[in-house]
Amino acid sequence: MKKRVKLLVSVLVSFSIILLLALFCFINNGCNTRKDQVIFCQDLLRFNVVGDYKTIQYRINVPFLCKHADHLIQYQGSDNDAFDKIITETPVWYDYEDEKKGQVYGVADGYILGFAGIVFNISDLEDGDCLKVNSFDFKVDDEIVEVELDEDLIYTHWKGTQEERPFVPINSIIMNYHGCGLTRKMGMQFEYKVTEDNVQIEGFEFSKYISIEKATVKINGGKAINFSKAFPVKLNKDDILAVVIDKISYDDNGGYADYNTNYILYWHRDGEEVKGDSNYIGLLGIGSPAEFTLYLYSRGIE
């Protein structure tokens, strides 16, 4: 009887140990999975661009968060075959504070920021072609992950009539890549040199996502004119128009989103209809760690 009891106790103890080990492995594995999870932030991607015919390629950056910069992330495709056919490169990189030292910049609560890049070539597109993408597939380590966008990514190809425009852009910002994040006080400057007489500038704006809150206009480096009172203005050959933007507003993602849109200068000659000259701008910002923590909480990320 005692032998049976001892045997039963031994079996129960062994079973308990196995159960505890299994539970520990499950919990530990679960924690590691959570810790090493790649979290795509597709809600921070905004891309609606009318292409500049002089540009050869464009880059899309899909932001993601993770704890360690050692994941194997490979682009698998999108829901648009025509788009996938013109992709030339799909680089993946992490945001380094100091690339020489290999220090990864932490955005909040131990998370680091990475980007799954998608580069596509537009040189063979026809005038008026429009590409729309709603989702991407990535292979993350050994798992296929579908990344469905909040809104369609849209690229419209427009060869345009830039040869006919009566001005040339000079010292205009094309890309403002994030450092400490997008702030509402930007100091962006767009300059144009007029190449003909009697050209009337009607206005300046961003086509989507970004609105101008405070700006000034200068003609030939003269006195700053309030943006709301500067247009329309008639200019002649060799005049230089500068639009200096000091404050912007953006959609409900605050200063975190990767905004890809156009800036447009509206103009016309005497007797012509108003035309718009458009070019691409990319603005990407990740706020301070304290601010970005709020974004994590809004996503339910702990």
Side-chain angles (χ1 to χ4, degrees), residues 2 47 51 62 85 108 113 174 209 218 222 226 239 244 288:
K2 289 183 179 180
F47 192 104
V62 184
K85 287 179 181 178
L113 178 67
I174 300 299
Y209 309 128
K218 292 183 178 182
N226 187 289
D239 283 342
V244 182
S288 69

Side-chain angles (χ1 to χ4, degrees), residues 11-67:
V11 170
L12 288 173
V13 169
S14 299
F15 179 76
S16 298
I17 292 172
I18 293 172
L19 183 62
L20 288 171
L21 285 173
L23 183 62
F24 174 79
C25 290
F26 174 78
I27 293 173
N28 189 53
N29 184 61
C31 290
N32 285 338
T33 301
R34 187 181 186 89
K35 181 179 180 181
D36 295 331
Q37 184 181 11
V38 171
I39 303 167
F40 284 97
C41 303
Q42 63 268 30
D43 54 328
L44 301 184
L45 177 61
R46 297 284 186 270
F47 192 104
N48 192 319
V49 171
V50 176
D52 177 2
Y53 83 116
K54 291 183 178 179
T55 304
I56 297 175
Q57 64 184 23
Y58 286 82
R59 178 193 295 270
I60 298 164
N61 301 315
V62 184
F64 63 85
L65 297 170
C66 56
K67 295 283 188 176

Side-chain angles (χ1 to χ4, degrees), residues 42 45 75 77-80 83 131-137 146-154:
Q42 63 268 30
L45 177 61
Y75 180 78
S78 73
D79 62 338
N80 187 330
F83 175 74
L131 299 174
K132 294 184 179 181
V133 177
N134 182 255
S135 65
F136 300 112
D137 286 337
E146 182 182 14
V147 177
E148 187 172 345
L149 303 178
D150 281 17
E151 62 176 67
D152 286 347
L153 178 154
I154 300 175

Side-chain angles (χ1 to χ4, degrees), residues 79-108:
D79 62 338
N80 187 330
D81 292 337
F83 175 74
D84 288 335
K85 287 179 181 178
I86 61 173
I87 293 176
T88 59
E89 187 182 1
T90 56
V92 175
W93 72 99
Y94 297 88
D95 187 30
Y96 287 99
E97 188 176 36
D98 189 334
E99 292 188 11
K100 292 182 179 180
K101 295 181 180 179
Q103 296 175 346
V104 180
Y105 177 65
V107 289

Side-chain angles (χ1 to χ4, degrees), residues 43-278:
D43 54 328
L44 301 184
L45 177 61
R46 297 284 186 270
F47 192 104
N48 192 319
V49 171
V50 176
D52 177 2
Y53 83 116
K54 291 183 178 179
T55 304
I56 297 175
Q57 64 184 23
Y58 286 82
R59 178 193 295 270
I60 298 164
N61 301 315
V62 184
F64 63 85
L65 297 170
C66 56
K67 295 283 188 176
H68 301 284
D70 56 2
H71 293 279
L72 179 60
I73 300 174
Q74 298 173 300
Y75 180 78
Q76 300 295 295
S78 73
D79 62 338
N80 187 330
D81 292 337
F83 175 74
D84 288 335
K85 287 179 181 178
I86 61 173
I87 293 176
T88 59
E89 187 182 1
T90 56
V92 175
W93 72 99
Y94 297 88
D95 187 30
Y96 287 99
E97 188 176 36
D98 189 334
E99 292 188 11
K100 292 182 179 180
K101 295 181 180 179
Q103 296 175 346
V104 180
Y105 177 65
V107 289
D109 289 355
Y111 284 96
I112 58 175
L113 178 67
F115 297 96
I118 302 169
V119 180
F120 61 100
N121 188 302
I122 64 169
S123 58
D124 293 330
L125 294 181
E126 298 294 329
D127 195 22
D129 282 351
C130 182
L131 299 174
K132 294 184 179 181
V133 177
N134 182 255
S135 65
F136 300 112
D137 286 337
F138 292 96
K139 186 176 183 181
V140 181
D141 300 325
D142 296 319
E143 179 184 1
I144 301 296
V145 177
E146 182 182 14
V147 177
E148 187 172 345
L149 303 178
D150 281 17
E151 62 176 67
D152 286 347
L153 178 154
I154 300 175
Y155 173 77
T156 304
H157 194 59
W158 180 61
K159 292 185 178 179
T161 56
Q162 277 89 335
E163 295 91 343
E164 301 175 8
R165 64 189 180 186
F167 53 82
V168 291
I170 53 174
N171 299 326
S172 294
I173 183 172
I174 300 299
M175 175 73 75
N176 180 17
Y177 198 73
H178 79 93
C180 58
L182 271 185
T183 62
R184 294 183 186 274
K185 186 173 176 61
M186 297 300 297
M188 291 185 289
Q189 181 161 315
F190 301 83
E191 291 183 88
Y192 299 88
K193 183 176 182 179
V194 180
T195 56
E196 299 177 13
D197 288 333
N198 299 316
V199 175
Q200 183 155 305
I201 307 299
E202 296 288 344
F204 180 95
E205 69 175 3
F206 294 101
S207 60
K208 200 165 184 181
Y209 309 128
I210 304 168
S211 298
I212 298 171
E213 292 293 314
K214 183 180 178 182
T216 55
V217 174
K218 292 183 178 182
I219 308 298
N220 298 323
K223 184 179 179 181
I225 307 167
N226 187 289
F227 182 79
S228 62
K229 300 177 180 179
F231 303 109
V233 58
K234 184 161 284 189
L235 302 176
N236 293 309
K237 186 177 180 179
D238 295 330
D239 283 342
I240 295 178
L241 170 78
V243 179
V244 182
I245 301 175
D246 294 316
K247 188 177 180 182
I248 60 174
S249 60
Y250 23 68
D251 67 14
D252 57 5
N253 279 300
Y256 309 131
D258 181 6
Y259 299 98
N260 301 268
T261 186
N262 292 87
Y263 56 90
I264 307 170
L265 183 74
Y266 294 98
W267 61 277
H268 72 91
R269 301 181 183 94
D270 288 343
E272 291 183 336
E273 293 183 356
V274 174
K275 301 178 181 180
D277 180 73
S278 179

